[in-house]
């Protein structure tokens, strides 16, 4: 328990923010420094075949302790943290024996983490809660995952009488900017299946995610002096606005939940001459997903017809797909996880991810890979926190999965 906490507190102090503007892998040097540090620690912990490749991917092996035929199971976490919140000088605060009320996370700035704002906090009464000081994110996403995987390996190494098959672990860069699977060497990882440790609160188990596409809409208008603009000016900003108004108004992130998909206009830059609008399109259902892409293309067509003098260009790019079909064809991976949760006294809560995971992309690269909880909450922000007891349960789940006596499925 102490090792787990110390590890986590140590890891979050590394600023591992990715840099989307850098096309290299990893996208930031700090990620490489942390990867080097993790590779050293894995060696010291007694793992075998520790590798760190030039792209910042760390891999290692926990050798089998039985000659029985068992599947090779992998565990994966990511080393970067979200670029959406400050991540420099993370200064974690450990609150023991949480009383169930408001937590003052920064006395100077009077910043409070309150169950009034985040009701699930009250579930953790009596536990040890690790928070930020309200100035940065915490980085439990995904350093909790890394700490949990290494702590589970450490336990199994210290208890060699416990019989398990070969276990492989991997830490990947740039998950938060959607590139975590880009340079993942599935072949050299060499597992039958794997789990990402990248979920939220205790009990979460995820194997459905969005189908995802990105769209850039570029509108070229016609700029003329406003004084003589009558019947000649085409203001691309207004045309863009009109195009956006043709999309279903209530299918936006702020109005949707569960299995409801959306269009999300997240960036717009415009002048009379040219307006560029960036969207992401999301839907769990593959049919509704293609319908959505068509709705956007149709809207552009309608605008082109109306404004003959304007140019309307839509460039659509698929980003990732729902791993559900892959996982359902290998459903024993979920059954194994549910068994491991229940053995740890946790009732699995299966819910669709409203986003994507590295596991989704890895699943389509031939490595089925659902997502397990790490225990954290309020990811990507200053109110991120993680109960230590949830992290311990994640360690227990990993150990249970390693010790499963399941034979390699044929
Ligand atoms: Zn994550």
């Amino acid at each position: 328990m102490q090792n787990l906490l110390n590890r986590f507190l140590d890891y979050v102090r590394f600023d591992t923010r990715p840099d989307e503007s850098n096309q290299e892998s990893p996208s930031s040097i700090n990620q490489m420094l942390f990867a080097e540090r993790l590779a050293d620690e894995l060696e010291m912990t007694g793992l075998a075949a520790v590798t760190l490749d030039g792209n910042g991917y760390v891999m290692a092996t926990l050798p089998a302790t039985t000659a029985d035929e068992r599947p090779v199971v992998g565990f994966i976490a990511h080393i970067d943290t979200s670029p959406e919140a400050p991540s420099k000088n993370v200064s974690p605060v450990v609150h023991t024996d949480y009383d169930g009320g408001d937590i003052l996370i920064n006395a100077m700035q009077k910043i409070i983490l309150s169950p009034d704002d985040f009701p699930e906090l009250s579930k953790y009464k009596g536990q040890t809660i690790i928070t930020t000081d309200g100035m940065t994110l915490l980085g439990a996403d995904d350093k909790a995952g890394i700490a949990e995987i290494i702590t589970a390996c450490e336990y199994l190494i210290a208890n060699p009488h416990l019989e398990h098959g070969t276990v492989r672990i991997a830490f990947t860069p740039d998950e938060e900017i959607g590139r975590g699977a880009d340079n993942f060497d599935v072949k050299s990882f060499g597992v039958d299946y794997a789990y990402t440790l990248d979920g939220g609160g205790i009990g979460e188990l995820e194997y459905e995610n969005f189908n995802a596409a990105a769209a850039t809409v570029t509108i070229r208008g016609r700029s003329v002096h406003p004084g003589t603009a009558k019947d000649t000016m085409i203001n691309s900003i207004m045309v863009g606005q009109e195009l956006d108004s043709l999309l279903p108004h209530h299918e936006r992130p702020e109005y949707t939940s569960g299995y409801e998909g959306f269009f999300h206009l997240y960036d717009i830059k415009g002048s009379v001459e040219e307006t560029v609008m960036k969207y992401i399109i999301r839907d769990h259902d593959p049919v509704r997903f293609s319908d959505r892409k068509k709705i956007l293309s149709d809207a552009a067509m309608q605008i082109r017809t109306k404004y003959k003098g304007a140019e309307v260009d839509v460039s659509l790019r698929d980003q990732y797909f729902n791993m559900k079909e892959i996982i359902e064809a290998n459903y024993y991976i979920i059954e194994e996880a549910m068994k491991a949760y229940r053995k740890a006294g946790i009732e699995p809560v299966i819910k669709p991810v409203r986003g994507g995971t590295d596991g989704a992309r890895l699943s389509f690269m031939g490595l089925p890979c659902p997502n397990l909880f790490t225990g954290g909450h309020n990811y990507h922000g200053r109110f991120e926190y993680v109960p230590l007891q949830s992290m311990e349960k994640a360690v227990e789940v990993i150990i249970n999965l390693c010790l499963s006596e399941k034979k390699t499925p044929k």
Side-chain angles (χ1 to χ4, degrees), residues 374-389:
T374 62
H377 288 275
N378 300 343
Y379 284 170
H380 301 191
R382 298 162 192 256
F383 290 101
E384 192 183 356
Y385 71 92
V386 61
L388 181 59
Q389 283 77 359

Side-chain angles (χ1 to χ4, degrees), residues 16 35 66 138:
T16 52
T66 170
L138 178 62

Side-chain angles (χ1 to χ4, degrees), residues 97-350:
D97 198 15
Y98 170 50
D99 67 6
D102 288 356
I103 306 179
L104 182 64
I105 59 174
N106 188 319
M108 291 266 286
Q109 308 270 342
K110 299 195 173 60
I111 302 173
I112 286 164
L113 177 67
S114 169
D116 296 340
D117 302 321
F118 306 107
E120 72 285 343
L121 244 184
S122 27
K123 280 200 310 203
Y124 304 114
K125 195 168 176 223
Q127 302 193 7
T128 297
I129 314 279
I130 308 154
T131 70
T132 67
D133 64 356
M135 307 306 286
T136 64
L137 51 66
L138 178 62
D141 175 15
D142 191 18
K143 285 158 181 163
I146 296 175
E148 288 155 5
I149 292 170
I150 299 183
T151 304
C153 290
E154 182 182 52
Y155 175 84
L156 291 170
I157 289 168
N159 293 277
H161 61 283
L162 298 174
E163 291 191 351
H164 58 80
T166 303
V167 176
R168 289 277 283 158
I169 68 176
F171 302 133
T172 61
D174 293 322
E175 191 272 349
E176 298 288 1
I177 54 173
R179 299 187 206 152
D182 284 7
N183 297 297
F184 193 104
D185 189 343
V186 171
K187 197 158 165 263
S188 78
F189 196 44
V191 302
D192 292 295
Y193 55 89
Y195 299 94
T196 48
L197 267 286
D198 194 17
I202 186 167
E204 282 182 13
L205 173 57
E206 301 163 328
Y207 66 95
E208 291 179 65
N209 59 280
F210 276 144
N211 296 291
T216 303
V217 179
T218 307
I219 297 158
R220 279 175 213 93
R222 189 193 292 141
S223 180
V224 288
H225 188 283
T228 56
K230 191 166 194 313
D231 299 331
T232 52
M233 177 192 277
I234 301 174
N235 185 343
S236 77
I237 301 172
M238 305 313 290
V239 176
Q241 234 174 63
E242 194 171 327
L243 189 152
D244 183 71
S245 75
L246 296 174
L247 303 178
H249 292 191
H250 286 279
E251 295 177 14
R252 295 184 195 155
E254 61 270 43
Y255 300 127
T256 50
S257 63
Y259 285 103
E260 295 164 337
F262 58 72
F263 298 88
H264 176 39
L265 172 61
Y266 69 95
D267 189 67
I268 175 163
K269 280 189 186 64
S271 61
V272 174
E273 195 68 33
E274 184 179 89
T275 295
V276 179
M277 301 192 292
K278 292 185 178 169
Y279 288 89
I280 56 170
I281 298 172
R282 300 288 187 261
D283 209 302
H284 290 98
D285 183 81
V287 175
R288 287 201 311 262
F289 177 59
S290 5
D291 287 349
R292 281 184 193 284
K293 292 191 273 186
K294 189 163 182 309
I295 288 170
L296 182 63
S297 306
D298 288 352
M301 185 60 81
Q302 202 175 322
I303 292 292
R304 261 181 226 119
T305 314
K306 181 165 173 189
Y307 297 96
K308 295 272 193 271
E311 265 177 61
V312 182
D313 178 66
V314 178
S315 104
L316 267 163
R317 178 173 60 87
D318 286 329
Q319 295 172 295
Y320 53 83
F321 300 103
N322 191 345
M323 71 172 123
K324 184 181 178 191
E325 54 174 291
I326 310 271
I327 304 298
E328 280 184 344
N330 300 279
Y331 198 69
Y332 64 92
I333 303 172
I334 297 300
E335 288 167 347
E336 282 290 287
M338 293 199 290
K339 224 165 62 191
Y341 278 39
R342 291 193 176 116
K343 200 171 147 196
I346 305 160
E347 194 44 37
V349 183
I350 295 181

